[in-house]
Amino acid sequence: MNDTVMPHVDFRSDTVTRPSAGMRKAMADAEVGDAVYDEDPTTNRLESMAAERLGMEAALFFPSATQANLAGFMAHCGRGDEYIVGQTAHAYRDEGGGAAVLGSIQPQPLPNEPDGIIDLDAITSAIKPDDFHNPVTRLLTLENTFNGLPLPEDYLQNAIELARSNGVSTHLDGARIMNAAVAAGREASAIAGRFDSVSLCLSKGLGAPVGALLAGSTELIARAKRIRKTLGGGMRQTGVLAAAGIYALEHNVSRMREDHDRANRLSEVFREFPELGAGEARTNMVFLSPEGVDMRAFTAFMGDRDIITGSAHGKLRWVTHLDIDDEAIESVRRACKEFFGR
Ligand SMILES: Cc1ncc(COP(=O)(O)O)c(C=O)c1O
Protein backbone atom coordinates (compact mmCIF):
# COMPACT_ATOMS: atom_id res chain seq x y z
CA MET A 1 0.00 0.00 0.00
CA ASN A 2 1.16 3.53 -0.71
CA ASP A 3 2.16 5.94 1.99
CA THR A 4 -0.31 8.50 0.58
CA VAL A 5 -3.79 8.79 2.11
CA MET A 6 -6.25 6.23 0.73
CA PRO A 7 -9.76 7.66 0.68
CA HIS A 8 -11.27 4.50 -0.82
CA VAL A 9 -10.48 0.96 -1.77
CA ASP A 10 -10.61 1.56 -5.49
CA PHE A 11 -11.00 -1.51 -7.71
CA ARG A 12 -12.11 0.39 -10.84
CA SER A 13 -8.80 0.19 -12.68
CA ASP A 14 -5.06 -0.28 -12.27
CA THR A 15 -4.74 3.30 -13.56
CA VAL A 16 -5.82 4.76 -10.20
CA THR A 17 -2.53 4.12 -8.37
CA ARG A 18 -0.59 7.07 -6.96
CA PRO A 19 3.19 7.12 -7.27
CA SER A 20 4.96 5.63 -4.24
CA ALA A 21 7.48 7.55 -2.13
CA GLY A 22 10.37 5.76 -3.90
CA MET A 23 8.97 6.64 -7.32
CA ARG A 24 8.43 10.28 -6.33
CA LYS A 25 12.01 10.50 -5.12
CA ALA A 26 13.29 9.06 -8.40
CA MET A 27 11.21 11.69 -10.23
CA ALA A 28 12.51 14.52 -8.06
CA ASP A 29 16.13 13.41 -8.54
CA ALA A 30 15.85 12.86 -12.32
CA GLU A 31 18.52 14.35 -14.55
CA VAL A 32 16.72 16.19 -17.36
CA GLY A 33 17.30 17.96 -20.67
CA ASP A 34 15.21 18.89 -23.71
CA ALA A 35 13.82 15.62 -25.04
CA VAL A 36 12.78 17.17 -28.36
CA TYR A 37 16.52 17.74 -28.93
CA ASP A 38 17.13 14.14 -27.74
CA GLU A 39 18.97 15.68 -24.79
CA ASP A 40 17.04 14.18 -21.90
CA PRO A 41 19.32 11.48 -20.50
CA THR A 42 16.62 9.88 -18.33
CA THR A 43 14.17 9.58 -21.22
CA ASN A 44 16.91 8.16 -23.44
CA ARG A 45 17.68 5.61 -20.73
CA LEU A 46 14.02 4.62 -20.36
CA GLU A 47 13.68 4.19 -24.14
CA SER A 48 16.74 1.90 -24.33
CA MET A 49 15.55 -0.07 -21.34
CA ALA A 50 12.05 -0.51 -22.77
CA ALA A 51 13.39 -1.56 -26.19
CA GLU A 52 15.51 -4.21 -24.51
CA ARG A 53 12.69 -5.45 -22.26
CA LEU A 54 10.32 -5.69 -25.24
CA GLY A 55 12.84 -7.38 -27.56
CA MET A 56 12.87 -4.50 -30.08
CA GLU A 57 15.57 -2.33 -31.67
CA ALA A 58 14.20 0.99 -30.46
CA ALA A 59 11.48 2.59 -28.33
CA LEU A 60 9.91 6.02 -28.00
CA PHE A 61 8.32 7.69 -24.96
CA PHE A 62 4.71 8.90 -25.26
CA PRO A 63 2.35 10.69 -22.90
CA SER A 64 -0.26 7.92 -23.18
CA ALA A 65 -0.79 4.44 -24.59
CA THR A 66 -3.57 5.86 -26.79
CA GLN A 67 -1.02 8.10 -28.51
CA ALA A 68 1.56 5.30 -28.68
CA ASN A 69 -0.97 3.01 -30.39
CA LEU A 70 -2.05 5.76 -32.78
CA ALA A 71 1.52 6.67 -33.74
CA GLY A 72 2.14 2.95 -34.29
CA PHE A 73 -0.86 2.65 -36.62
CA MET A 74 0.18 5.77 -38.52
CA ALA A 75 3.78 4.56 -38.80
CA HIS A 76 2.60 1.28 -40.32
CA CYS A 77 -0.29 2.53 -42.47
CA GLY A 78 -0.70 5.29 -45.03
CA ARG A 79 -3.86 7.22 -45.86
CA GLY A 80 -6.60 4.84 -47.03
CA ASP A 81 -4.88 1.69 -45.76
CA GLU A 82 -6.70 -0.46 -43.24
CA TYR A 83 -5.90 -2.21 -40.00
CA ILE A 84 -7.59 -5.30 -38.62
CA VAL A 85 -8.58 -4.92 -34.96
CA GLY A 86 -10.81 -6.62 -32.39
CA GLN A 87 -14.36 -5.33 -32.23
CA THR A 88 -14.04 -4.85 -28.46
CA ALA A 89 -10.34 -3.98 -28.45
CA HIS A 90 -9.34 -0.80 -26.64
CA ALA A 91 -7.61 0.53 -29.76
CA TYR A 92 -10.88 0.26 -31.69
CA ARG A 93 -13.58 1.10 -29.14
CA ASP A 94 -11.92 3.29 -26.56
CA GLU A 95 -9.40 5.53 -28.29
CA GLY A 96 -11.74 8.04 -29.93
CA GLY A 97 -11.39 6.42 -33.36
CA GLY A 98 -7.99 8.11 -33.67
CA ALA A 99 -6.72 5.90 -36.49
CA ALA A 100 -9.67 6.96 -38.68
CA VAL A 101 -10.05 10.51 -37.37
CA LEU A 102 -6.41 11.56 -37.42
CA GLY A 103 -4.67 8.89 -39.50
CA SER A 104 -7.20 8.37 -42.33
CA ILE A 105 -6.75 4.66 -41.63
CA GLN A 106 -9.82 2.48 -42.07
CA PRO A 107 -10.46 0.04 -39.23
CA GLN A 108 -11.59 -3.50 -40.12
CA PRO A 109 -13.05 -4.64 -36.79
CA LEU A 110 -13.58 -8.37 -36.24
CA PRO A 111 -15.25 -10.09 -33.27
CA ASN A 112 -13.13 -10.94 -30.25
CA GLU A 113 -13.79 -14.48 -29.02
CA PRO A 114 -14.43 -14.87 -25.25
CA ASP A 115 -10.72 -15.62 -24.73
CA GLY A 116 -9.72 -12.39 -26.50
CA ILE A 117 -8.43 -13.88 -29.74
CA ILE A 118 -9.62 -12.96 -33.22
CA ASP A 119 -10.46 -16.09 -35.22
CA LEU A 120 -7.70 -16.84 -37.74
CA ASP A 121 -10.17 -17.73 -40.53
CA ALA A 122 -11.93 -14.41 -39.95
CA ILE A 123 -8.58 -12.64 -40.29
CA THR A 124 -7.81 -14.51 -43.51
CA SER A 125 -11.20 -13.56 -44.99
CA ALA A 126 -10.78 -9.92 -43.94
CA ILE A 127 -7.41 -9.47 -45.66
CA LYS A 128 -8.34 -7.78 -48.93
CA PRO A 129 -7.02 -9.01 -52.30
CA ASP A 130 -4.70 -6.76 -54.29
CA ASP A 131 -7.50 -5.07 -56.22
CA PHE A 132 -7.82 -1.34 -56.83
CA HIS A 133 -11.37 -1.42 -55.41
CA ASN A 134 -10.08 -2.39 -51.97
CA PRO A 135 -8.14 -0.61 -49.30
CA VAL A 136 -4.73 -2.16 -48.67
CA THR A 137 -4.82 -4.32 -45.54
CA ARG A 138 -1.61 -3.19 -43.91
CA LEU A 139 -1.77 -4.15 -40.25
CA LEU A 140 -3.15 -6.68 -37.78
CA THR A 141 -3.39 -5.46 -34.19
CA LEU A 142 -3.94 -7.69 -31.15
CA GLU A 143 -4.30 -6.81 -27.46
CA ASN A 144 -2.53 -8.67 -24.63
CA THR A 145 -3.74 -8.95 -21.95
CA PHE A 146 -7.29 -8.62 -23.23
CA ASN A 147 -9.75 -7.89 -20.40
CA GLY A 148 -7.19 -9.46 -18.08
CA LEU A 149 -6.74 -12.57 -20.24
CA PRO A 150 -3.28 -13.43 -21.58
CA LEU A 151 -3.59 -14.53 -25.22
CA PRO A 152 -2.40 -18.13 -25.83
CA GLU A 153 1.21 -18.34 -27.03
CA ASP A 154 0.48 -20.65 -29.97
CA TYR A 155 -2.32 -18.34 -31.09
CA LEU A 156 0.03 -15.34 -31.14
CA GLN A 157 2.56 -17.29 -33.18
CA ASN A 158 -0.08 -18.49 -35.67
CA ALA A 159 -1.62 -15.03 -36.03
CA ILE A 160 1.78 -13.43 -36.67
CA GLU A 161 2.66 -16.09 -39.25
CA LEU A 162 -0.70 -15.67 -40.97
CA ALA A 163 -0.25 -11.90 -41.17
CA ARG A 164 3.32 -12.18 -42.39
CA SER A 165 2.51 -14.69 -45.10
CA ASN A 166 -0.04 -12.16 -46.42
CA GLY A 167 2.35 -9.21 -46.28
CA VAL A 168 0.51 -7.71 -43.30
CA SER A 169 2.45 -6.13 -40.41
CA THR A 170 1.61 -6.78 -36.77
CA HIS A 171 1.13 -4.47 -33.78
CA LEU A 172 0.51 -5.52 -30.20
CA ASP A 173 -1.42 -3.26 -27.85
CA GLY A 174 0.65 -4.39 -24.90
CA ALA A 175 -0.66 -1.82 -22.45
CA ARG A 176 -0.65 -4.73 -19.97
CA ILE A 177 2.02 -6.90 -21.59
CA MET A 178 3.91 -7.06 -18.27
CA ASN A 179 0.89 -8.71 -16.63
CA ALA A 180 0.83 -11.25 -19.47
CA ALA A 181 4.57 -11.89 -19.11
CA VAL A 182 4.42 -12.30 -15.32
CA ALA A 183 1.42 -14.65 -15.62
CA ALA A 184 3.29 -16.78 -18.18
CA GLY A 185 6.54 -16.69 -16.19
CA ARG A 186 8.30 -15.35 -19.30
CA GLU A 187 10.21 -12.25 -20.31
CA ALA A 188 8.01 -9.68 -22.07
CA SER A 189 10.45 -9.82 -25.01
CA ALA A 190 9.51 -13.47 -25.64
CA ILE A 191 5.89 -12.39 -26.20
CA ALA A 192 6.28 -8.91 -27.72
CA GLY A 193 9.48 -9.33 -29.72
CA ARG A 194 7.78 -11.30 -32.47
CA PHE A 195 5.49 -8.39 -33.39
CA ASP A 196 6.56 -5.54 -35.68
CA SER A 197 5.61 -3.05 -32.98
CA VAL A 198 4.30 -3.02 -29.43
CA SER A 199 2.94 -0.39 -27.05
CA LEU A 200 3.48 -0.60 -23.31
CA CYS A 201 1.67 1.51 -20.72
CA LEU A 202 3.55 2.70 -17.63
CA SER A 203 0.52 4.12 -15.81
CA LYS A 204 -1.47 0.92 -15.30
CA GLY A 205 -0.21 -1.98 -13.17
CA LEU A 206 3.32 -0.56 -13.33
CA GLY A 207 2.20 2.33 -11.14
CA ALA A 208 3.72 5.35 -12.91
CA PRO A 209 1.57 8.50 -13.01
CA VAL A 210 1.88 8.98 -16.77
CA GLY A 211 3.59 7.58 -19.85
CA ALA A 212 3.78 4.81 -22.41
CA LEU A 213 6.24 3.49 -24.95
CA LEU A 214 6.04 2.36 -28.54
CA ALA A 215 8.76 -0.11 -29.54
CA GLY A 216 9.75 -1.52 -32.92
CA SER A 217 12.48 -1.39 -35.53
CA THR A 218 14.76 1.67 -35.65
CA GLU A 219 13.15 2.66 -38.94
CA LEU A 220 9.57 2.37 -37.65
CA ILE A 221 10.39 4.32 -34.49
CA ALA A 222 11.99 7.09 -36.57
CA ARG A 223 8.70 7.38 -38.50
CA ALA A 224 6.72 7.30 -35.25
CA LYS A 225 8.84 10.14 -33.88
CA ARG A 226 7.81 12.43 -36.73
CA ILE A 227 4.16 11.42 -36.16
CA ARG A 228 4.45 11.98 -32.40
CA LYS A 229 5.48 15.57 -33.14
CA THR A 230 2.43 16.03 -35.38
CA LEU A 231 0.21 14.68 -32.61
CA GLY A 232 1.65 17.15 -30.11
CA GLY A 233 3.50 14.46 -28.18
CA GLY A 234 6.97 16.00 -28.47
CA MET A 235 7.60 16.95 -24.85
CA ARG A 236 10.56 18.66 -23.21
CA GLN A 237 12.04 17.78 -19.77
CA THR A 238 10.35 14.40 -19.76
CA GLY A 239 13.06 12.91 -17.56
CA VAL A 240 10.85 13.69 -14.56
CA LEU A 241 8.24 11.33 -16.03
CA ALA A 242 10.69 8.86 -17.53
CA ALA A 243 12.29 8.41 -14.10
CA ALA A 244 8.94 7.11 -12.86
CA GLY A 245 8.92 4.69 -15.80
CA ILE A 246 12.42 3.44 -15.04
CA TYR A 247 11.48 3.01 -11.39
CA ALA A 248 8.36 1.11 -12.47
CA LEU A 249 10.28 -1.27 -14.75
CA GLU A 250 12.89 -1.87 -12.06
CA HIS A 251 10.56 -2.33 -9.07
CA ASN A 252 7.01 -3.04 -10.18
CA VAL A 253 7.13 -5.86 -12.74
CA SER A 254 7.73 -9.09 -10.82
CA ARG A 255 5.56 -7.85 -7.93
CA MET A 256 2.55 -7.99 -10.30
CA ARG A 257 2.39 -11.62 -9.17
CA GLU A 258 0.94 -10.23 -5.89
CA ASP A 259 -1.81 -8.42 -7.83
CA HIS A 260 -2.61 -11.64 -9.67
CA ASP A 261 -2.71 -13.64 -6.43
CA ARG A 262 -5.03 -11.07 -4.87
CA ALA A 263 -7.30 -11.10 -7.93
CA ASN A 264 -7.42 -14.86 -7.57
CA ARG A 265 -8.39 -14.56 -3.91
CA LEU A 266 -11.00 -11.97 -4.84
CA SER A 267 -12.47 -14.38 -7.37
CA GLU A 268 -12.61 -17.06 -4.64
CA VAL A 269 -14.41 -14.63 -2.31
CA PHE A 270 -16.99 -13.88 -5.01
CA ARG A 271 -17.46 -17.59 -5.77
CA GLU A 272 -18.71 -18.06 -2.22
CA PHE A 273 -21.74 -16.19 -3.60
CA PRO A 274 -22.61 -18.05 -6.85
CA GLU A 275 -25.28 -15.53 -7.84
CA LEU A 276 -22.47 -13.02 -8.49
CA GLY A 277 -21.34 -15.07 -11.51
CA ALA A 278 -17.64 -14.51 -10.81
CA GLY A 279 -15.16 -15.29 -13.55
CA GLU A 280 -11.68 -16.68 -13.08
CA ALA A 281 -8.75 -14.28 -12.52
CA ARG A 282 -5.99 -14.96 -15.03
CA THR A 283 -4.03 -11.80 -14.20
CA ASN A 284 -5.27 -8.75 -12.27
CA MET A 285 -8.96 -8.60 -13.22
CA VAL A 286 -12.15 -10.30 -12.08
CA PHE A 287 -15.46 -9.84 -13.88
CA LEU A 288 -18.89 -10.42 -12.35
CA SER A 289 -22.01 -11.27 -14.36
CA PRO A 290 -24.57 -11.38 -11.55
CA GLU A 291 -27.86 -13.22 -11.93
CA GLY A 292 -30.82 -12.27 -9.81
CA VAL A 293 -28.72 -9.64 -8.02
CA ASP A 294 -29.49 -5.95 -8.34
CA MET A 295 -26.12 -4.74 -9.66
CA ARG A 296 -26.85 -1.11 -8.80
CA ALA A 297 -27.82 -1.97 -5.25
CA PHE A 298 -24.72 -4.18 -4.90
CA THR A 299 -22.40 -1.44 -6.22
CA ALA A 300 -24.04 1.20 -4.03
CA PHE A 301 -23.76 -1.09 -0.99
CA MET A 302 -20.04 -1.49 -1.69
CA GLY A 303 -19.69 2.25 -2.25
CA ASP A 304 -21.24 2.95 1.17
CA ARG A 305 -18.37 0.87 2.58
CA ASP A 306 -15.78 2.87 0.58
CA ILE A 307 -15.26 0.03 -1.90
CA ILE A 308 -15.41 1.30 -5.46
CA THR A 309 -15.82 -0.90 -8.51
CA GLY A 310 -16.28 -0.22 -12.21
CA SER A 311 -18.14 -1.75 -15.11
CA ALA A 312 -17.05 -2.88 -18.55
CA HIS A 313 -19.04 -4.55 -21.34
CA GLY A 314 -22.13 -4.99 -19.11
CA LYS A 315 -20.18 -6.68 -16.32
CA LEU A 316 -18.76 -5.47 -13.01
CA ARG A 317 -14.98 -5.18 -13.26
CA TRP A 318 -12.62 -5.52 -10.29
CA VAL A 319 -8.96 -4.74 -10.87
CA THR A 320 -6.14 -5.35 -8.39
CA HIS A 321 -3.05 -3.13 -8.35
CA LEU A 322 -0.37 -1.54 -6.19
CA ASP A 323 -2.89 0.21 -3.93
CA ILE A 324 -4.91 -2.93 -3.19
CA ASP A 325 -3.63 -4.94 -0.23
CA ASP A 326 -4.80 -8.09 1.59
CA GLU A 327 -7.03 -6.04 3.90
CA ALA A 328 -8.83 -4.62 0.83
CA ILE A 329 -9.75 -8.16 -0.25
CA GLU A 330 -10.93 -8.95 3.28
CA SER A 331 -13.08 -5.81 3.28
CA VAL A 332 -14.81 -7.09 0.13
CA ARG A 333 -15.38 -10.47 1.78
CA ARG A 334 -16.97 -8.78 4.81
CA ALA A 335 -19.13 -6.53 2.62
CA CYS A 336 -20.34 -9.48 0.50
CA LYS A 337 -21.27 -11.46 3.63
CA GLU A 338 -23.19 -8.49 4.92
CA PHE A 339 -24.91 -7.87 1.56
CA PHE A 340 -26.06 -11.47 1.16
CA GLY A 341 -26.70 -11.95 4.90
CA ARG A 342 -24.60 -15.13 5.13
C1 LIG B 1 -5.66 -2.29 -23.43
C2 LIG B 1 -5.46 -0.81 -23.37
N1 LIG B 1 -4.76 -0.21 -24.35
C3 LIG B 1 -4.54 1.12 -24.36
C4 LIG B 1 -5.04 1.91 -23.35
C5 LIG B 1 -4.82 3.41 -23.41
O1 LIG B 1 -4.07 3.86 -22.35
P1 LIG B 1 -4.00 5.43 -21.98
O2 LIG B 1 -5.10 5.66 -21.04
O3 LIG B 1 -2.64 5.58 -21.37
O4 LIG B 1 -4.10 6.21 -23.23
C6 LIG B 1 -5.77 1.35 -22.30
C7 LIG B 1 -6.29 2.19 -21.20
O5 LIG B 1 -7.05 1.78 -20.35
C8 LIG B 1 -5.99 -0.06 -22.32
O6 LIG B 1 -6.70 -0.66 -21.35
Side-chain angles (χ1 to χ4, degrees):
M1 180 84 67
N2 261 332
D3 57 351
T4 44
V5 181
M6 286 289 292
H8 308 286
V9 182
D10 194 341
F11 285 95
R12 282 173 303 166
S13 175
D14 44 12
T15 56
V16 300
T17 57
R18 277 81 51 84
S20 64
M23 183 178 277
R24 285 170 192 253
K25 175 159 182 6
M27 295 172 78
D29 292 348
E31 202 186 333
V32 297
D34 190 328
V36 170
Y37 291 127
D38 288 331
E39 286 172 5
D40 188 284
T42 312
T43 303
N44 293 344
R45 209 176 123 222
L46 171 65
E47 289 176 345
S48 310
M49 197 173 169
E52 202 238 306
R53 297 276 183 111
L54 296 168
M56 297 288 185
E57 282 175 5
L60 192 61
F61 185 61
F62 282 85
S64 68
T66 297
Q67 197 180 93
N69 278 334
L70 175 58
F73 298 152
M74 291 173 72
H76 283 289
C77 305
R79 185 159 191 255
D81 288 346
E82 81 172 0
Y83 77 115
I84 296 174
V85 60
Q87 183 88 47
T88 46
H90 199 277
Y92 175 62
R93 259 175 78 124
D94 301 302
E95 296 182 8
V101 175
L102 302 171
S104 298
I105 305 162
Q106 165 166 293
Q108 167 62 77
L110 294 175
N112 287 100
E113 303 295 323
D115 61 357
I117 69 157
I118 305 174
D119 180 63
L120 293 179
D121 290 338
I123 294 175
T124 307
S125 317
I127 297 174
K128 312 290 182 290
D130 182 9
D131 177 320
F132 72 87
H133 293 88
N134 300 135
V136 176
T137 309
R138 195 68 77 184
L139 185 68
L140 166 67
T141 179
L142 299 173
E143 183 179 312
N144 194 16
T145 60
F146 179 86
N147 286 338
L149 300 171
L151 298 195
E153 289 274 319
D154 56 341
Y155 171 78
L156 292 177
Q157 191 54 40
N158 293 338
I160 289 170
E161 276 166 23
L162 168 64
R164 242 169 232 156
S165 63
N166 285 281
V168 173
S169 299
T170 54
H171 172 79
L172 182 66
D173 176 349
R176 295 188 180 82
I177 181 73
M178 292 304 177
N179 292 92
V182 167
R186 310 197 64 189
E187 295 297 325
S189 57
I191 301 170
R194 291 174 283 172
F195 285 80
D196 294 308
S197 58
V198 57
S199 58
L200 160 72
C201 190
L202 297 168
S203 64
K204 300 198 165 64
L206 288 173
V210 68
L213 290 129
L214 175 73
S217 67
T218 308
E219 195 201 340
L220 185 102
I221 293 303
R223 278 207 300 281
K225 193 169 190 174
R226 194 175 274 271
I227 294 160
R228 184 184 67 175
K229 186 71 191 159
T230 307
L231 298 175
M235 301 173 288
R236 303 295 176 171
Q237 286 71 28
T238 47
V240 177
L241 304 174
I246 292 171
Y247 185 94
L249 290 176
E250 284 176 345
H251 296 88
N252 293 346
V253 176
S254 58
R255 65 145 307 282
M256 281 177 165
R257 166 84 42 213
E258 294 172 32
D259 298 338
H260 299 179
D261 288 346
R262 287 194 181 103
N264 202 22
R265 286 219 298 284
L266 192 59
S267 165
E268 282 168 12
V269 166
F270 290 139
R271 279 161 200 238
E272 291 172 24
F273 309 93
E275 54 271 67
L276 284 176
E280 194 194 350
R282 299 281 308 283
T283 57
N284 66 334
M285 294 187 195
V286 182
F287 287 86
L288 301 183
S289 315
E291 276 189 29
V293 180
D294 181 341
M295 271 170 68
R296 289 175 84 140
F298 180 71
T299 320
F301 186 87
M302 290 287 160
D304 288 344
R305 280 143 195 83
D306 266 356
I307 299 168
I308 309 181
T309 179
S311 62
H313 312 301
K315 298 180 178 183
L316 286 183
R317 188 177 82 158
W318 298 71
V319 187
T320 54
H321 49 74
L322 273 155
D323 290 345
I324 294 291
D325 61 8
D326 292 339
E327 170 49 26
I329 308 297
E330 280 312 305
S331 70
V332 176
R333 185 194 298 275
R334 284 195 299 273
C336 283
K337 282 187 162 170
E338 207 188 328
F339 182 81
F340 288 104
R342 59 179 193 268

